[in-house]
Amino acid sequence: LLRDEEYAVGLRPSDEHADQREGAVSHNHTVAQYLFETGTSLIELETEQARREAIVHFSEAVLLDPGEYKMHNRLAFAHVQSRDYHKGFKHFLACYIMRPTAPDMVNNLGNIYMATGKLTLAIRAYRLAARLAPKEADTLFNLGVLLLRVSAAERSPP
């Protein structure tokens, strides 16, 4: 997986003007949390309209609190549910940059690679996730299913 250091900089606030930022950060975090909870409630409705509205709420939450892992994570899942894999990947990657040892994020990146037909990258992501957490059932299952698919495709006549 690529580590884009320029992208990662945007996820970590600098220490410059920290005293001015403290009040705004706490207010922004509170509003972002409200947007997050509203978006989460909308997702539960399981309609396309509710999903679109949830994406708007999660997107605003990410803008207000860009260093918050769970905001990116929920936005990524909402995008993936809408089959917008590129945007989902972007936010799962943000989660990975914030927590590079979290195997679930690497697994999620593998899921997007698999859904978009990038099977070699999916295998690499699943293997990395398996190295991070060797007993993680989701990762091992996904890797096994993908390897079976690749093997079956290689055996079938053209």
Side-chain angles (χ1 to χ4, degrees), residues 22-47:
E22 283 180 21
V25 167
S26 120
H27 174 72
N28 285 352
H29 180 74
T30 301
V31 174
Q33 185 63 36
Y34 169 78
L35 291 166
F36 173 83
E37 295 298 336
T38 304
T40 300
S41 297
L42 287 166
I43 286 288
E44 296 296 321
L45 297 175
E46 296 183 3
T47 67

Short mmCIF file of all heavy atoms in Angstrom, two decimals, residues 22-47:
data_model
loop_
_atom_site.label_atom_id
_atom_site.label_comp_id
_atom_site.label_asym_id
_atom_site.label_seq_id
_atom_site.Cartn_x
_atom_site.Cartn_y
_atom_site.Cartn_z
N GLU A 22 -7.94 25.85 19.84
CA GLU A 22 -8.54 24.99 20.86
C GLU A 22 -10.04 25.16 20.98
O GLU A 22 -10.78 24.19 20.98
CB GLU A 22 -7.87 25.22 22.22
CG GLU A 22 -6.52 24.55 22.31
CD GLU A 22 -5.87 24.78 23.66
OE1 GLU A 22 -6.59 25.07 24.62
OE2 GLU A 22 -4.65 24.64 23.73
N GLY A 23 -10.52 26.40 21.07
CA GLY A 23 -11.97 26.63 21.18
C GLY A 23 -12.70 26.18 19.93
O GLY A 23 -13.76 25.56 20.00
N ALA A 24 -12.14 26.48 18.76
CA ALA A 24 -12.78 26.10 17.51
C ALA A 24 -12.80 24.59 17.35
O ALA A 24 -13.78 24.02 16.88
CB ALA A 24 -12.06 26.75 16.33
N VAL A 25 -11.71 23.93 17.77
CA VAL A 25 -11.64 22.48 17.63
C VAL A 25 -12.72 21.82 18.49
O VAL A 25 -13.43 20.92 18.03
CB VAL A 25 -10.24 21.95 18.00
CG1 VAL A 25 -10.25 20.45 18.17
CG2 VAL A 25 -9.24 22.37 16.95
N SER A 26 -12.89 22.28 19.71
CA SER A 26 -13.88 21.67 20.58
C SER A 26 -15.28 21.91 20.03
O SER A 26 -16.11 21.01 20.03
CB SER A 26 -13.68 22.18 21.99
OG SER A 26 -14.76 22.85 22.48
N HIS A 27 -15.56 23.12 19.52
CA HIS A 27 -16.87 23.39 18.91
C HIS A 27 -17.03 22.55 17.64
O HIS A 27 -18.09 21.94 17.43
CB HIS A 27 -17.01 24.88 18.58
CG HIS A 27 -18.25 25.20 17.82
ND1 HIS A 27 -19.50 25.17 18.40
CD2 HIS A 27 -18.44 25.50 16.52
CE1 HIS A 27 -20.40 25.46 17.48
NE2 HIS A 27 -19.79 25.67 16.34
N ASN A 28 -16.00 22.53 16.81
CA ASN A 28 -16.07 21.74 15.58
C ASN A 28 -16.29 20.26 15.88
O ASN A 28 -17.05 19.59 15.19
CB ASN A 28 -14.80 21.91 14.74
CG ASN A 28 -14.75 23.24 14.03
OD1 ASN A 28 -15.71 24.00 14.03
ND2 ASN A 28 -13.61 23.52 13.43
N HIS A 29 -15.62 19.76 16.90
CA HIS A 29 -15.76 18.36 17.25
C HIS A 29 -17.20 18.06 17.69
O HIS A 29 -17.77 17.03 17.33
CB HIS A 29 -14.77 17.96 18.35
CG HIS A 29 -14.90 16.53 18.75
ND1 HIS A 29 -14.44 15.49 17.95
CD2 HIS A 29 -15.46 15.95 19.85
CE1 HIS A 29 -14.72 14.34 18.54
NE2 HIS A 29 -15.33 14.59 19.69
N THR A 30 -17.79 18.96 18.46
CA THR A 30 -19.17 18.78 18.93
C THR A 30 -20.14 18.76 17.76
O THR A 30 -21.01 17.88 17.67
CB THR A 30 -19.55 19.89 19.92
OG1 THR A 30 -18.64 19.85 21.03
CG2 THR A 30 -20.97 19.73 20.42
N VAL A 31 -19.99 19.70 16.84
CA VAL A 31 -20.86 19.75 15.67
C VAL A 31 -20.62 18.53 14.79
O VAL A 31 -21.57 17.91 14.28
CB VAL A 31 -20.66 21.06 14.88
CG1 VAL A 31 -21.46 21.06 13.59
CG2 VAL A 31 -21.04 22.27 15.74
N ALA A 32 -19.35 18.16 14.62
CA ALA A 32 -19.02 16.98 13.81
C ALA A 32 -19.65 15.73 14.42
O ALA A 32 -20.16 14.87 13.70
CB ALA A 32 -17.51 16.83 13.69
N GLN A 33 -19.61 15.62 15.74
CA GLN A 33 -20.21 14.46 16.42
C GLN A 33 -21.71 14.42 16.17
O GLN A 33 -22.28 13.36 15.93
CB GLN A 33 -19.91 14.51 17.92
CG GLN A 33 -20.39 13.31 18.68
CD GLN A 33 -19.72 12.03 18.24
OE1 GLN A 33 -18.54 12.01 17.92
NE2 GLN A 33 -20.47 10.95 18.22
N TYR A 34 -22.37 15.59 16.22
CA TYR A 34 -23.80 15.66 15.94
C TYR A 34 -24.08 15.20 14.50
O TYR A 34 -25.00 14.41 14.26
CB TYR A 34 -24.31 17.09 16.15
CG TYR A 34 -25.70 17.30 15.63
CD1 TYR A 34 -26.82 16.85 16.35
CD2 TYR A 34 -25.92 17.91 14.40
CE1 TYR A 34 -28.09 17.02 15.86
CE2 TYR A 34 -27.20 18.08 13.90
CZ TYR A 34 -28.28 17.64 14.63
OH TYR A 34 -29.55 17.79 14.14
N LEU A 35 -23.30 15.70 13.55
CA LEU A 35 -23.47 15.30 12.15
C LEU A 35 -23.23 13.80 11.97
O LEU A 35 -23.94 13.13 11.22
CB LEU A 35 -22.52 16.11 11.25
CG LEU A 35 -22.85 17.60 11.13
CD1 LEU A 35 -21.67 18.35 10.53
CD2 LEU A 35 -24.11 17.81 10.30
N PHE A 36 -22.23 13.30 12.66
CA PHE A 36 -21.91 11.87 12.61
C PHE A 36 -23.10 11.04 13.10
O PHE A 36 -23.52 10.08 12.45
CB PHE A 36 -20.67 11.60 13.47
CG PHE A 36 -20.33 10.16 13.62
CD1 PHE A 36 -19.60 9.50 12.66
CD2 PHE A 36 -20.73 9.45 14.75
CE1 PHE A 36 -19.27 8.14 12.80
CE2 PHE A 36 -20.41 8.11 14.90
CZ PHE A 36 -19.68 7.46 13.93
N GLU A 37 -23.66 11.42 14.24
CA GLU A 37 -24.79 10.67 14.80
C GLU A 37 -26.02 10.78 13.91
O GLU A 37 -26.75 9.79 13.72
CB GLU A 37 -25.12 11.17 16.22
CG GLU A 37 -24.03 10.93 17.23
CD GLU A 37 -23.70 9.46 17.44
OE1 GLU A 37 -24.55 8.59 17.19
OE2 GLU A 37 -22.57 9.17 17.88
N THR A 38 -26.25 11.95 13.32
CA THR A 38 -27.38 12.12 12.40
C THR A 38 -27.19 11.24 11.17
O THR A 38 -28.12 10.56 10.72
CB THR A 38 -27.53 13.60 12.00
OG1 THR A 38 -27.67 14.40 13.18
CG2 THR A 38 -28.72 13.81 11.09
N GLY A 39 -25.98 11.25 10.62
CA GLY A 39 -25.69 10.41 9.46
C GLY A 39 -25.86 8.93 9.77
O GLY A 39 -26.40 8.16 8.97
N THR A 40 -25.41 8.53 10.96
CA THR A 40 -25.54 7.14 11.38
C THR A 40 -27.02 6.74 11.46
O THR A 40 -27.42 5.66 11.02
CB THR A 40 -24.85 6.91 12.73
OG1 THR A 40 -23.46 7.23 12.58
CG2 THR A 40 -24.99 5.48 13.21
N SER A 41 -27.85 7.63 11.99
CA SER A 41 -29.29 7.36 12.06
C SER A 41 -29.90 7.24 10.67
O SER A 41 -30.74 6.38 10.42
CB SER A 41 -30.00 8.47 12.85
OG SER A 41 -29.55 8.48 14.17
N LEU A 42 -29.47 8.10 9.76
CA LEU A 42 -29.99 8.06 8.39
C LEU A 42 -29.63 6.75 7.69
O LEU A 42 -30.45 6.17 6.98
CB LEU A 42 -29.47 9.25 7.59
CG LEU A 42 -30.08 10.60 7.93
CD1 LEU A 42 -29.26 11.74 7.33
CD2 LEU A 42 -31.53 10.66 7.45
N ILE A 43 -28.39 6.29 7.89
CA ILE A 43 -27.94 5.03 7.28
C ILE A 43 -28.85 3.88 7.69
O ILE A 43 -29.14 2.98 6.90
CB ILE A 43 -26.47 4.74 7.64
CG1 ILE A 43 -25.53 5.66 6.89
CG2 ILE A 43 -26.11 3.28 7.41
CD1 ILE A 43 -25.39 5.38 5.41
N GLU A 44 -29.32 3.91 8.92
CA GLU A 44 -30.18 2.84 9.43
C GLU A 44 -31.50 2.73 8.67
O GLU A 44 -32.13 1.68 8.66
CB GLU A 44 -30.46 3.04 10.93
CG GLU A 44 -29.23 2.97 11.81
CD GLU A 44 -28.57 1.60 11.78
OE1 GLU A 44 -29.30 0.58 11.76
OE2 GLU A 44 -27.34 1.55 11.76
N LEU A 45 -31.91 3.79 8.00
CA LEU A 45 -33.16 3.76 7.23
C LEU A 45 -33.05 2.89 5.98
O LEU A 45 -34.05 2.45 5.43
CB LEU A 45 -33.59 5.18 6.84
CG LEU A 45 -33.92 6.11 8.01
CD1 LEU A 45 -34.21 7.52 7.50
CD2 LEU A 45 -35.11 5.57 8.81
N GLU A 46 -31.82 2.67 5.52
CA GLU A 46 -31.52 1.78 4.40
C GLU A 46 -32.25 2.14 3.11
O GLU A 46 -32.70 1.27 2.37
CB GLU A 46 -31.78 0.32 4.78
CG GLU A 46 -30.88 -0.17 5.89
CD GLU A 46 -31.08 -1.64 6.22
OE1 GLU A 46 -31.90 -2.29 5.55
OE2 GLU A 46 -30.41 -2.10 7.15
N THR A 47 -32.38 3.45 2.84
CA THR A 47 -32.90 3.89 1.54
C THR A 47 -31.81 4.67 0.83
O THR A 47 -30.89 5.21 1.47
CB THR A 47 -34.15 4.79 1.70
OG1 THR A 47 -33.76 6.03 2.32
CG2 THR A 47 -35.23 4.11 2.51
#
